[in-house]
Amino acid sequence: MSLDTRPETTADRPLRRVLAFAGLGVRPMILPILLGAAGALSALGLAALSAWLITRAWQMPPVLYLSVAVTAVRALGISRALFRYLERLATHDLALGMMATARERIYRALASGAPGYSVGLSRSAMLARTADDIDEVGDALIRGLIPMGVGAVTSLTAVIIMAVVSQWAAVVLAAALLVSGVLAPWLATRASVRQLEAGAQAREQVAAATGTLLWHGPELVVAGRRDRLFDELSAAEHRLARATDRSVRRQVLASSATPLALGASVLAAALIGVHLASGVSGSLAGVSSVDGVLTPMALGILLLLPLSSFETTGPLTEAGIAMEKGRQAAGRVMALVDGAEGSGEVTDPAIDPRPATLTLSGLQWGWDRPLGPAAGVDDVLEPGDRLTVVGPSGVGKSTLLLTLAGLLPPLGGTVTAAHDDGAPADLRAVGCYFAEEAHVFSTTVRENLLVARGDADEQALHGALAQVGLADWVAALPDGLDTPLTGGDGALSGGQRRRLLLARALLHPAPIVLLDEPTEHLSADDARSMMSRICASGPGSLFGADRTVVVVTHQHADLAARTLVLRAG
């Protein structure tokens, strides 16, 4: 199952939706913006005061006349750095909190939605939505929204200060700031929309191909498909590089508007200053004038103030790009959330351990097209029956198990369950699907087993581990069952992980067990022995005579069990 990764339209405001989804409103952003503006205004004040101090010192007044200004320069220099540091702390605290909340709520939305929706998502799609895309939204907050707010406050203040010196210079500065802070980011964003979208798609393709190579390397080698996947990965990386290069080129071109606007503003200020300086009169100690009389101190402010004014608008081109990336990422995140919420809120039924019969009638399964035989599958699996499902990769073996578990609706026919007394049973109450890539948590061995059955006692846990061949391994651990598996999967070998997951299935009370490749990563002899015990229904059986077992496997040549062979096409 794939997600539509196309960005939503501007009218949909996905960035605003995802911030609201994470519980972030306007009020928490005020503090970072005020701190950022305070730092920027300190820089503006420093520029204006420095201009006054330079020109006033040129007149060689008594040193005491300048002492307050000198002290203020030092204070503004220190406060500028201090406020910027505090703004970084506040902004990152806000963004990290938002990202953590967003991820938590995504997981809750997936957990409360229909199981078929979440289990049908690929690992690469889940990682992209909950990792990269949420990071992009956080980046849009740090490098987009907050800098834009700071730039707006600072630019308005600079124009007001400039208007005190010269109204015409203020008009020129306002126009130049609009070019640098509004027009340039808008042009960069509009020019990069398609490249950013193409880059996001290529990045997800790279992640999907990389994940497949890491998680299914041995199967790809056996199937002779690894080289083809390497070629696909290389092509996706080249597409990503080209999209990134095109986006950066256009961003650089748009960024050139800021130095041009700065130059035009300073030049215009100089020309206006020269014009006004010709009408100088009155006290040379004055600071300001109203278009007609200009003091040397006001002339210094007129020339130096624009240099600091553009300090907050220059990064806004990059902020526009960050906002567009965040908007597209937010659209993909909300598509995931909307899909989970639209799948219907489902409450998992309590497991009913009573034996149950599984009936398949013309069953067709799949995501968007039928994957089974044209006539469907008809079968009756009674308590104690064993069924192996075999076939090449991609024919729908795992999808069939999801359908039998009630996690995915059939595309045709029916699959039903009933108890011995004929009472109908919910598929999700009597069956449990044990995925090939089930998660191993970074906690103790005990907790990893209690996931399957929370009330299992010490004897039951040790018994399950002994049946799958992990008794000696647990006995050798420093704290036995209470030894933490730091890193989850990384603490186990492939064979140990597979046996631990199989122990979960043994502990689970569901009467219908659906196993996906339970003997992968075991040696050939161990896999054959384990599969024989899984498929046996008499003495030596892992699952006993009252539980039904459906298993997807490649170890089927010498099994005395019913087999459903699925063929491609």
Side-chain angles (χ1 to χ4, degrees):
M1 183 177 182
S2 62
L3 291 171
D4 184 0
T5 59
R6 294 173 297 177
E8 299 181 32
T9 62
T10 304
D12 292 326
R13 304 186 184 279
L15 187 56
R16 179 180 297 181
R17 285 190 65 204
V18 81
L19 292 178
F21 174 74
L24 183 62
V26 175
R27 183 174 297 179
M29 300 184 196
I30 295 177
L31 178 60
I33 291 176
L34 289 179
L35 290 172
L41 292 177
S42 295
L44 278 179
L46 184 61
L49 187 58
S50 297
W52 182 91
L53 185 61
I54 291 170
T55 51
R56 185 74 174 108
W58 165 71
Q59 298 174 345
M60 293 184 294
V63 175
L64 289 178
Y65 287 10
L66 305 177
S67 59
V68 174
V70 170
T71 302
V73 167
R74 293 176 179 174
L76 288 172
I78 294 172
S79 64
R80 175 188 180 187
L82 176 62
F83 282 126
R84 285 187 173 179
Y85 176 70
L86 293 176
E87 181 265 328
R88 295 293 189 276
L89 289 180
T91 300
H92 282 77
D93 179 67
L94 185 69
L96 292 173
M98 179 276 296
M99 293 160 63
T101 302
R103 289 189 172 107
E104 176 190 350
R105 294 185 177 180
I106 288 173
Y107 298 144
R108 289 185 181 277
L110 292 171
S112 62
Y117 178 78
S118 57
V119 299
L121 297 173
S122 66
R123 277 194 173 191
S124 59
M126 285 289 292
L127 287 174
R129 297 295 86 78
T130 58
D132 292 343
D133 285 339
I134 292 295
D135 286 346
E136 293 284 8
V137 174
D139 198 48
L141 182 63
I142 295 171
R143 298 171 55 199
L145 281 173
I146 301 300
M148 286 179 176
V150 172
V153 174
T154 307
S155 298
L156 180 61
T157 305
V159 171
I160 292 174
I161 295 173
M162 186 66 83
V164 174
V165 179
S166 169
Q167 294 177 1
W168 284 109
V171 171
V172 173
L173 178 61
L177 288 173
L178 286 174
V179 169
S180 173
V182 178
L183 181 61
W186 183 82
L187 290 175
T189 301
R190 291 301 92 195
S192 302
V193 169
R194 292 184 179 179
Q195 282 67 39
L196 293 175
E197 180 184 355
Q201 292 176 347
R203 185 165 55 248
E204 188 164 333
Q205 291 167 355
V206 168
T210 302
T212 302
L213 286 167
L214 290 173
W215 296 321
H216 302 288
E219 299 96 313
L220 291 169
V221 172
V222 173
R225 296 174 56 190
R226 188 175 65 170
D227 290 341
R228 187 176 70 181
L229 198 59
F230 272 124
D231 292 339
E232 293 176 2
L233 175 60
S234 178
E237 287 179 332
H238 281 106
R239 288 194 297 273
L240 176 58
R242 288 196 299 269
T244 302
D245 289 344
R246 287 194 297 268
S247 177
V248 170
R249 282 199 299 269
R250 298 184 181 191
Q251 180 180 343
V252 169
L253 289 175
S255 298
S256 64
T258 293
L260 292 175
L262 172 60
S265 178
V266 173
L267 179 60
L271 293 175
I272 293 172
V274 170
H275 173 71
L276 295 179
S278 62
V280 169
S281 64
S283 172
L284 291 177
V287 176
S288 62
S289 68
V290 179
D291 297 347
V293 176
L294 189 72
T295 66
M297 281 66 70
L299 178 61
I301 295 173
L302 193 68
L303 295 176
L304 292 182
L305 187 62
L307 297 177
S308 295
S309 302
F310 285 87
E311 188 174 329
T312 55
T313 61
L316 293 188
T317 299
E318 183 179 348
I321 299 296
M323 287 289 289
E324 179 59 27
K325 287 182 178 179
R327 189 190 71 82
Q328 293 187 12
R332 294 188 291 268
V333 169
M334 293 313 298
L336 174 67
V337 174
D338 291 342
E341 294 177 346
S343 65
E345 187 171 350
V346 178
T347 302
D348 289 333
I351 296 296
D352 188 340
R354 292 180 297 166
T357 298
L358 196 63
T359 303
L360 289 60
S361 179
L363 180 63
Q364 281 283 11
W365 62 92
W367 295 105
D368 51 5
R369 62 182 180 84
L371 298 176
V377 174
D378 296 293
D379 206 344
V380 176
L381 298 174
E382 297 181 346
D385 283 351
R386 305 290 187 262
L387 174 67
T388 58
V389 182
V390 298
S393 299
V395 297
K397 301 186 298 297
S398 298
T399 308
L400 172 61
L401 293 188
L402 292 172
T403 306
L404 297 181
L407 301 178
L408 190 67
L411 292 185
T414 60
V415 53
T416 59
H419 295 295
D420 290 344
D421 58 4
D426 189 323
L427 289 174
R428 292 182 298 115
V430 296
C432 192
Y433 168 62
F434 296 90
E436 179 183 1
E437 300 296 340
H439 190 66
V440 175
F441 297 92
S442 185
T443 182
T444 64
V445 177
R446 183 190 304 275
E447 293 297 328
N448 268 285
L449 293 174
L450 292 178
V451 167
R453 184 177 175 182
D455 62 349
D457 57 21
E458 193 97 358
Q459 182 179 356
L461 297 179
H462 280 292
L465 291 170
Q467 289 189 73
V468 299
L470 288 179
D472 293 340
W473 170 71
V474 172
L477 292 176
D479 298 314
L481 289 174
D482 295 314
T483 302
L485 300 177
T486 305
D489 290 352
L492 303 170
S493 68
Q496 289 171 339
R497 178 181 179 280
R498 183 58 57 192
R499 292 175 188 271
L500 183 66
L501 296 178
L502 190 55
R504 280 186 188 170
L506 290 176
L507 289 168
H508 200 281
I512 300 175
V513 181
L514 308 166
L515 301 173
D516 197 348
E517 299 290 359
T519 59
E520 283 294 304
H521 305 296
L522 300 183
S523 67
D525 291 340
D526 286 347
R528 187 177 298 107
S529 173
M530 186 69 74
M531 189 59 66
S532 297
R533 295 176 62 202
I534 291 173
C535 293
S537 57
S541 170
L542 276 180
F543 290 97
D546 291 333
R547 302 181 76 181
T548 304
V549 178
V550 181
V551 55
V552 167
T553 179
H554 294 101
Q555 307 287 339
H556 67 285
D558 55 356
L559 296 177
R562 294 152 61 180
T563 301
L564 173 62
V565 180
L566 301 180
R567 294 181 172 82

